[in-house]
Amino acid sequence: MPILEVNDITSGYGDVQILWGAALKLEPGLMTCLVGANGVGKTTLLRTVMGQLRPWSGNVRFEGHDISRLPAYKRAERGLVLVPEGRQLFGDMSVLENLEMGATNRRGRPHLKRNLERVFAMFPRLQDRLTQKANTMSGGEQQMLAVGRGIMAEPTLLLIDELSLGLAPVLVLQLFKNLQQLKALGITIMLVEQNVQMSLAVSDYGYVLAQGRTELEGAAATLMRDDHVRAAYLGL
């Protein structure tokens, strides 16, 4: 059974429709990427899945249950966790306080110590900066902290929006390696990325979103060889 099903979702902001029947299915234990040009609705789809936006029509199912009307915090308690675009950290709080905020729900609290150890093993730099305020860290360190905060919530499915945005290539490569470590822990990952080549290279499966609709889907390696994807998104 798919861990997540998005069925013919329409959604948007105010009177502006962004999604026009988007659909996808995520298999448990895999890394799936959602790629597409700017403005096609990738972030809107994530926000709708997470409950920050209510779908106008269609539905979202998580682990077999319709969660379309559940508030975001209830979805997080079920194991659906978002690492948002732009990190959205608590800037005046320390690294440790930000991580602890990730474990405030009843799902994450019992596993706080274990997940702190996981975060520090994956991002040793965070352990070295426990008392440092988040807004004084570099962009790469802040992204590590944002992912770490997501881990603290004990996710079954981790949604990650624009992991590489604004980061140096060496940091991007390291963060993508970290995602593979998370997958090895049994966490299912949905990655929304503008770095199409890198996201397809590390993912098992991929979807291409265009004009608010799912245009293509398939094994990531197959999409990498698709002439349309190569021409439209990889510049090849």
Side-chain angles (χ1 to χ4, degrees):
M1 182 178 67
I3 190 171
L4 180 75
E5 297 175 79
V6 175
N7 298 309
D8 297 321
I9 286 292
T10 63
S11 183
Y13 306 90
D15 295 328
V16 180
Q17 186 168 349
I18 304 296
L19 299 178
W20 296 78
L24 55 81
K25 292 182 181 181
L26 269 61
E27 297 298 325
L30 300 184
M31 189 185 310
T32 301
C33 64
L34 178 66
V35 299
N38 282 333
V40 299
K42 301 188 300 296
T43 293
T44 301
L45 181 56
L46 280 193
R47 289 175 177 169
T48 305
V49 168
M50 196 63 224
Q52 296 172 345
L53 290 174
R54 179 166 288 189
W56 297 357
S57 65
N59 62 75
V60 178
R61 300 183 67 85
F62 181 61
E63 296 184 323
H65 302 284
D66 190 337
I67 62 169
S68 306
R69 302 299 171 186
L70 283 184
Y73 80 92
K74 288 288 188 182
R75 301 186 196 202
E77 287 179 352
R78 293 186 177 213
L80 185 60
V81 176
L82 173 65
V83 178
E85 181 182 9
R87 297 142 201 167
Q88 297 183 28
L89 300 171
F90 300 97
D92 288 329
M93 295 171 65
S94 70
V95 168
L96 181 58
E97 289 168 336
N98 269 274
L99 292 173
E100 289 173 339
M101 288 297 292
T104 54
N105 69 37
R106 63 184 180 184
R107 182 182 180 88
R109 279 196 300 270
H111 307 289
L112 189 149
K113 183 178 179 181
R114 184 200 68 189
N115 284 331
L116 269 178
E117 291 172 354
R118 283 181 171 178
V119 170
F120 295 152
M122 194 170 297
F123 304 117
R125 200 177 304 182
L126 296 182
Q127 189 169 17
D128 296 337
R129 290 164 169 75
L130 283 183
T131 60
Q132 184 173 341
K133 287 187 176 182
N135 59 11
T136 66
M137 302 173 77
S138 70
E141 291 167 342
Q142 289 185 18
Q143 191 62 279
M144 293 175 193
L145 182 54
V147 174
R149 185 179 60 185
I151 295 170
M152 296 297 296
E154 187 70 11
T156 302
L157 170 57
L158 192 61
L159 312 173
I160 303 178
D161 195 3
E162 298 296 359
L163 181 74
S164 69
L165 188 64
L167 301 183
V170 65
L171 287 174
V172 172
L173 184 61
Q174 181 58 54
L175 284 166
F176 275 101
K177 288 180 179 178
N178 294 139
L179 294 191
Q180 292 175 315
Q181 291 176 282
L182 289 177
K183 179 188 162 187
L185 292 174
I187 298 173
T188 305
I189 297 171
M190 181 177 176
L191 178 65
V192 169
E193 254 297 329
Q194 289 188 48
N195 189 333
V196 177
Q197 189 157 358
M198 180 67 78
S199 56
L200 286 173
V202 300
S203 296
D204 301 291
Y205 203 81
Y207 288 86
V208 177
L209 200 67
Q211 298 178 339
R213 297 181 176 88
T214 307
E215 182 177 272
L216 292 170
E217 66 172 283
T222 301
L223 290 178
M224 283 277 281
R225 297 191 297 269
D226 185 281
D227 289 340
H228 172 70
V229 174
R230 290 166 61 85
Y233 301 106
L234 303 181
L236 302 174

